[in-house]
Every structure is written in C-alpha cells, then in structure tokens.
C-alpha cells in the first residue's frame, strides 16, 4: 500500500518544507491549509516535482467536526494514513494585561485544540493499521515561556503534554508520537524580526533557522529510522533554549 502523509499548515513556512521533504519518502502528500489557495497550489507543484502525488485540502483545524469529515474522506481516498504532522499554528502576541479573551481562545483553538482534533480523528485509522507516526510542531516558547506570548506559550506547552500522553497511550498500538520545538525560524510568522534584533543576538548560533532544518528532523521522526523514539521533544533552535 502507498504511504500517505498529512501535513497541517503545509502550504507555507515550516509545513511547506516538511511536505516537500516527506515527498522523498511517501507516495501521497496531503497538505492542509487555511486560506491561501495560491500558496497551496504552488506547494503542491513542488511536492510533485519531489516525486509524490499531492493534494491540498482547505480546512480549519480548529473545527472538530470538519476535521472528522475531512479525515474520513482522506482515509477513503488513500486507503491508509501513515504520518501526521501537526504544523498549523498562529500567534496573537500581546501583553497579558491587555490580552483579549478572543486572542487567548483563538491561539489555543488552533495550536492546541487543532492538534488534538487532528490526532483524535486520525487515531482510529492508526489503531486499525497498528501503525502511525505523529509529529507535533511545538516551540521553545512552550518550554521556556516568552513574555508577550502567554497564549502562544500556553498552547505550545499544552502540545508538549499532549505529545507525551498520546505517546504513552498509543505505544501498544504501534503508534509513535513526538514533537519538534523550533526556535526562531525564517518564515512569514517571524517576518518582522530583523537580523540585528537582540533576540537573534541571544541565539548561541547567532542566526535564525531555516524551515528546511526543521523539516529534516520531522522527516527523521516520521521514518522508521526513529522506530525506537516516542514521547520525545527535540529542539531545533540554534541553542537558544539550552
Ligand atoms: P506560517 O505562518 O508561515 O504557517 C502557518 C501555517 O498554518 C499556514 O500555512 C496557515 O495556513 C496554517 N494555519 C493557520 N491556522 C490554521 C487553521 N486554523 N487551520 C489550518 N491551517 C492553519 O508559520 P510557520 O513559521 O511556518 O509555523 C509553523 C509552525 O511552527 C507553527 O505551529 C508555529 O507555531 C511553529 N513555530 C514556528 C516558529 C518560527 O520561528 N517560525 C518557531 C517555533 C514554532
């Protein structure tokens, strides 16, 4: 049976790089994206050029019922789901004293609940297959906490707890669940940060990371090379959270 990998947030940034890298090891790549049709179409072209079939699905990962329907359809179309990469994420930064309730709820809704929704609706298929690899994209913010990002840090710390609990719960079914924790990576999410920023200076490697450097790790964790690794959180951060 052909191998199928689903990558949320796969149209751009880290998810895009992961989708293209995973195309080297899977026959079918499904990217899930929120709004940018053009970016999704362009990424699909790059996936095909890398040697896999590509499909883009427009879906809000924060919507429990919509995710359920979409996973049922993907399972019908591809026969099985082998790899799930939860990369969709948003920020709504601001000081806690001024943070709106909606800004807190939205970030938790996409980053944490969205990750739960995807895992929840893929797990029945993983369990039947007795096989599956889940990779969640958390952040160093979820490990060390960032001022101005209480909502985001909470959501990413939640993803770390979720990863470890899922790993323990599903290990007997042949399912592995790990997380990668990027530091500052050059994507649209960090487009406002300039090279001379003091945050960049605080990185021991003195530079931002590239999406491809995170994608390498995601691809490793997705593969059988990581067959004995589960419940692990690996930083890709140039040393900023040492
Ligand atoms: P990005 O903003 O370039 O990409 C985020 C992707 O998530 C977009 O493709 C967007 O369509 C998708 N998305 C957002 N909300 C969605 C929703 N409700 N449903 C479906 N898709 C949705 O961001 P980037 O930088 O590539 O980030 C990817 C992941 O890596 C995020 O989870 C982010 O929190 C995490 N991360 C990024 C870091 C960075 O420095 N860029 C550092 C640490 C973690």
């Amino acid at each position: 049976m052909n191998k199928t990998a689903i990558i949320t947030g796969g149209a751009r940034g880290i998810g895009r790089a992961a989708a293209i890298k995973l195309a080297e090891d899977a026959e079918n790549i499904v990217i899930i994206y929120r709004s940018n049709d053009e970016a999704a179409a362009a990424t699909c072209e790059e996936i095909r050029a890398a040697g896999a079939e590509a499909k883009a699905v427009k879906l809000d990962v924060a919507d429990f019922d919509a995710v359920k329907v979409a996973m049922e359809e993907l399972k019908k179309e591809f026969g099985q789901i082998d790899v799930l990469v939860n990369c969709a994420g948003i920020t709504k930064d601001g000081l806690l004293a001024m943070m709106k309730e909606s800004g807190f709820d939205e970030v938790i809704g996409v980053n944490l609940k969205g990750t739960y929704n995807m895992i929840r609706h893929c797990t029945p298929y993983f369990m039947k297959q007795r096989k599956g690899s889940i990779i969640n994209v958390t952040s160093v913010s979820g490990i060390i906490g960032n001022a101005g990002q209480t909502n985001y840090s909470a959501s990413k710390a939640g993803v770390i707890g979720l990863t470890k609990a899922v790993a323990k719960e599903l290990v007997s079914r042949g399912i592995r669940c790990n997380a990668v924790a990027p530091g500052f990576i050059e994507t649209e999410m960090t487009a406002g940060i300039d090279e001379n920023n003091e945050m960049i200076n605080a990185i021991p490697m003195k530079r931002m990371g590239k999406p491809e450097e995170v994608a390498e790790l995601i691809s490793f964790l997705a593969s059988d090379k990581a067959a004995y690794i589960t419940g692990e959180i690996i930083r890709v951060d140039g040393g900023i959270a040492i």
Side-chain angles (χ1 to χ4, degrees), residues 126-214:
F126 289 146
M127 284 170 67
K128 260 196 198 134
Q129 297 160 193
R130 302 197 66 81
K131 190 168 154 280
S133 179
I134 303 164
I135 299 102
N136 298 322
V137 180
T138 175
S139 165
V140 293
S141 301
I143 300 174
I144 56 176
N146 257 351
Q149 285 198 316
T150 49
N151 49 2
Y152 184 77
S153 300
S155 73
K156 294 299 187 177
V159 168
I160 291 173
L162 179 75
T163 300
K164 293 180 181 180
V166 167
K168 279 187 179 168
E169 192 171 316
L170 300 181
V171 68
S172 63
R173 309 296 188 116
I175 301 162
R176 294 184 299 107
C177 183
N178 293 290
V180 301
F184 289 104
I185 308 297
E186 286 167 8
T187 68
E188 287 178 50
M189 190 178 266
T190 52
I193 301 175
D194 73 72
E195 271 177 30
N196 301 320
N197 190 294
E198 63 184 42
M199 287 191 285
I200 307 298
N201 246 332
I203 302 170
M205 288 191 188
K206 303 286 179 210
R207 68 169 178 89
M208 291 177 78
K210 298 191 183 317
E212 291 73 22
E213 291 173 312
V214 184

Side-chain angles (χ1 to χ4, degrees), residues 8-16 32-36 39 57-63 86-91 106 109-111 114 137-141 152 155-156 180-191 193 208-209 211 214 236:
T8 73
R12 66 181 214 199
I14 295 169
R16 170 184 163 276
I32 288 171
Y33 69 106
R34 181 72 199 267
S35 56
N36 193 331
V57 177
K58 201 173 196 167
L59 173 70
D60 179 2
V61 296
D63 184 336
N86 286 304
C87 195
I90 57 167
T91 53
E106 276 172 52
V110 175
N111 299 2
V137 180
T138 175
S139 165
V140 293
S141 301
Y152 184 77
S155 73
K156 294 299 187 177
V180 301
F184 289 104
I185 308 297
E186 286 167 8
T187 68
E188 287 178 50
M189 190 178 266
T190 52
I193 301 175
M208 291 177 78
V214 184
V236 201

Side-chain angles (χ1 to χ4, degrees), residues 51-129:
E53 295 293 322
K55 183 182 175 82
V57 177
K58 201 173 196 167
L59 173 70
D60 179 2
V61 296
D63 184 336
F64 184 85
D65 294 330
V67 171
K68 182 173 194 285
V69 172
M71 292 311 109
E72 282 167 358
E73 283 170 5
L74 289 174
K75 162 72 180 160
K76 254 187 231 153
E77 183 171 345
F78 294 107
Q80 71 181 56
I81 299 168
D82 300 279
V83 173
L84 168 64
V85 180
N86 286 304
C87 195
I90 57 167
T91 53
K92 285 211 181 289
D93 297 353
L95 297 175
L96 178 70
M98 267 132 27
M99 188 176 287
K100 287 190 185 141
E101 185 184 8
S102 61
F104 189 85
D105 289 346
E106 276 172 52
V107 169
I108 298 287
V110 175
N111 299 2
L112 179 55
K113 175 122 185 292
T115 300
Y116 154 76
N117 287 343
M118 290 296 301
I119 296 174
R120 170 69 183 81
H121 294 308
C122 285
T123 292
Y125 309 125
F126 289 146
M127 284 170 67
K128 260 196 198 134
Q129 297 160 193

